[in-house]
Amino acid sequence: MVVKELKYDHNKWLYCKGKYSWNYTRLDLDTLSKPLWITKGLNCYTEDEGLVSRLLSKAVVCDVKNLRLEDQIITWNELKLLISSGNIENLTFCYSHVEYENNKIVGIDEILQLLPNVKQIRW
């Protein structure tokens, strides 16, 4: 299922498929029958630290240019999947961080090495 933007806000996932950014539809990940292909942006605003991890189990491709994570803890491998397209231009981490499998926090210098096209970072 191709979606332009995906955001989590007020305890629900919303997606935008079409041309207009204001036209969001609710998405129930539990009943999703096809894997997700996110083409432009992913925004997560929640205190549920494992939300992105659960989302990635439903995603097959992440071509996002804009990635905003708030109150999230993700693994190094999850970050690599989120930015695997190499298209990230805007990265925002609010109260979020990336951990190795041994729970050690990944430094920003290592993260920046994976972001050749980044134009803006908010940390």
Side-chain angles (χ1 to χ4, degrees):
M1 178 174 159
V2 178
V3 296
K4 178 179 166 185
E5 293 183 62
L6 187 61
K7 69 179 179 177
Y8 190 84
D9 197 17
H10 297 98
N11 299 320
K12 62 184 175 272
W13 283 107
L14 301 169
Y15 72 93
C16 177
K17 275 183 103 166
K19 183 177 178 181
Y20 303 105
S21 298
W22 65 84
N23 190 13
Y24 281 88
T25 304
R26 188 172 184 158
L27 177 66
D28 183 358
L29 287 182
D30 294 329
T31 61
L32 188 65
S33 61
K34 298 178 182 177
L36 286 170
W37 180 342
I38 310 163
T39 63
K40 184 177 178 190
L42 175 62
N43 298 293
C44 296
Y45 309 98
T46 180
E47 292 181 7
D48 179 352
E49 294 175 347
L51 183 73
V52 172
S53 297
R54 289 190 304 279
L55 168 69
L56 288 176
S57 70
K58 304 287 184 170
V60 65
V61 178
C62 229
D63 278 338
V64 297
K65 292 182 180 181
N66 304 303
L67 177 61
R68 180 182 174 94
L69 302 180
E70 191 167 314
D71 292 312
Q72 294 297 294
I73 298 173
I74 62 172
T75 68
W76 180 240
N77 289 332
E78 290 168 340
L79 175 68
K80 287 185 199 178
L81 178 60
L82 286 169
I83 65 173
S84 62
S85 68
N87 294 332
I88 294 286
E89 293 178 359
N90 300 297
L91 175 70
T92 302
F93 272 21
C94 295
Y95 307 106
S96 298
H97 67 268
V98 179
E99 294 180 348
Y100 292 112
E101 298 303 322
N102 65 3
N103 297 331
K104 184 178 175 187
I105 295 177
V106 177
I108 191 163
D109 56 328
E110 292 180 77
I111 294 170
L112 289 175
Q113 290 177 6
L114 299 177
L115 303 170
N117 297 316
V118 74
K119 295 177 182 174
Q120 182 178 41
I121 296 176
R122 292 184 185 155
W123 199 282

